[in-house]
Amino acid sequence: HPAQVGVHGQARQLGGAVQPAAQRLQVPVGQQPEQRGDGAVVLGRVPAGEGLLGSGLHADGTLSEIAVGGPRLPISPEQIERGEHHATMVGSAVAKTMRTVFPVLVKQALQQRDLSIEDIDQVVCHQANPNLVMECAREAGFRPDQVVITGDRYGNTSAASVPIGLDVAVTDGRIRPGSLVLMLSFGAGMTWAWSLTRWISRSRTMQEGTRWT
């Protein structure tokens, strides 16, 4: 059966995990809110033609030094003293990689389902830098109203940024039953991935305060 994403989950904080110098590269100066957020998705059975329609996952270990998730274990007191237990990244190299990979992910997703840019209702992307996300989306052919931006409000919440974007877009009505949603994400390693989802045509409430859409 296809799988559909619902939104809401557990807490995640990025701010204390990334070296301060690297944090400044993630969101433009003057747009650096506290980097706190939560996010998760829940998968369930849905009717054919809805839910998760396709996905792709990629990694390139030769790019590992431009975005590193921390030191090799075991960690020593000396490494902690030097701040080497923090995640690090080379902002300019990460941005270059994203500019290269973003259109490739979009092309893969569209070709797999024989779709066009206009068929996509919303793009929900990792929010390392909201200006960079919008730049890449424009270059790929998306209109601004097709792109969900949350990094200017919440900062870089790392792996939580995609489910946060989903929740924001569902809450404000941009993602509705039947919407076609393209999700794109980038991570240390380097890694990158896409998934395409047809938002389900029904809603149900599990309990008060928890929304399944």
Side-chain angles (χ1 to χ4, degrees):
H1 292 271
Q4 165 62 28
V5 291
V7 181
H8 254 57
Q10 56 194 13
R12 178 178 180 85
Q13 178 179 350
L14 177 65
V18 181
Q19 284 188 345
Q23 286 189 52
R24 290 195 293 272
L25 298 174
Q26 296 160 6
V27 179
V29 175
Q31 298 182 18
Q32 185 69 41
E34 289 191 14
Q35 295 175 332
R36 300 172 184 266
D38 66 0
V41 296
V42 179
L43 303 181
R45 296 177 183 271
V46 298
E50 298 183 0
L52 186 61
L53 303 179
S55 63
L57 176 64
H58 307 271
D60 186 347
T62 65
L63 301 175
S64 62
E65 294 304 314
I66 70 173
V68 182
R72 297 179 183 272
L73 295 178
I75 190 170
S76 68
E78 291 75 22
Q79 287 176 302
I80 295 176
E81 181 68 24
R82 294 193 298 268
E84 295 176 1
H85 59 299
H86 292 292
T88 61
M89 68 177 236
V90 181
S92 59
V94 171
K96 180 180 179 180
T97 301
M98 186 171 170
R99 289 186 178 99
T100 301
V101 170
F102 192 104
V104 175
L105 294 178
V106 173
K107 183 177 180 180
Q108 288 177 351
L110 297 180
Q111 286 186 339
Q112 186 177 111
R113 302 297 299 189
D114 193 23
L115 298 168
S116 70
I117 291 289
E118 290 302 317
D119 292 319
I120 303 298
D121 294 300
Q122 293 295 319
V123 177
V124 181
C125 185
H126 178 81
Q127 299 284 314
N129 182 316
N131 290 341
L132 179 60
V133 170
M134 189 59 75
E135 173 194 327
C136 291
R138 283 196 303 265
E139 288 295 320
F142 292 105
R143 304 184 310 274
D145 63 286
Q146 289 176 286
V147 185
V148 177
I149 296 295
T150 61
D152 53 350
R153 189 186 318 175
Y154 301 117
N156 182 2
T157 51
S158 188
S161 60
V162 171
I164 286 174
L166 288 173
D167 188 55
V168 167
V170 169
T171 299
D172 66 20
R174 280 179 285 176
I175 294 179
R176 301 179 294 276
S179 292
L180 192 58
V181 182
L182 176 61
M183 291 169 276
L184 306 172
S185 189
F186 302 84
M190 287 276 296
T191 58
W192 48 89
W194 66 268
S195 65
L196 190 66
T197 295
R198 177 75 68 183
W199 213 254
I200 60 174
S201 57
R202 67 181 186 275
S203 298
R204 54 181 175 168
T205 301
M206 189 171 70
Q207 63 186 34
E208 185 177 356
T210 302
R211 182 180 62 256
W212 286 42
T213 305

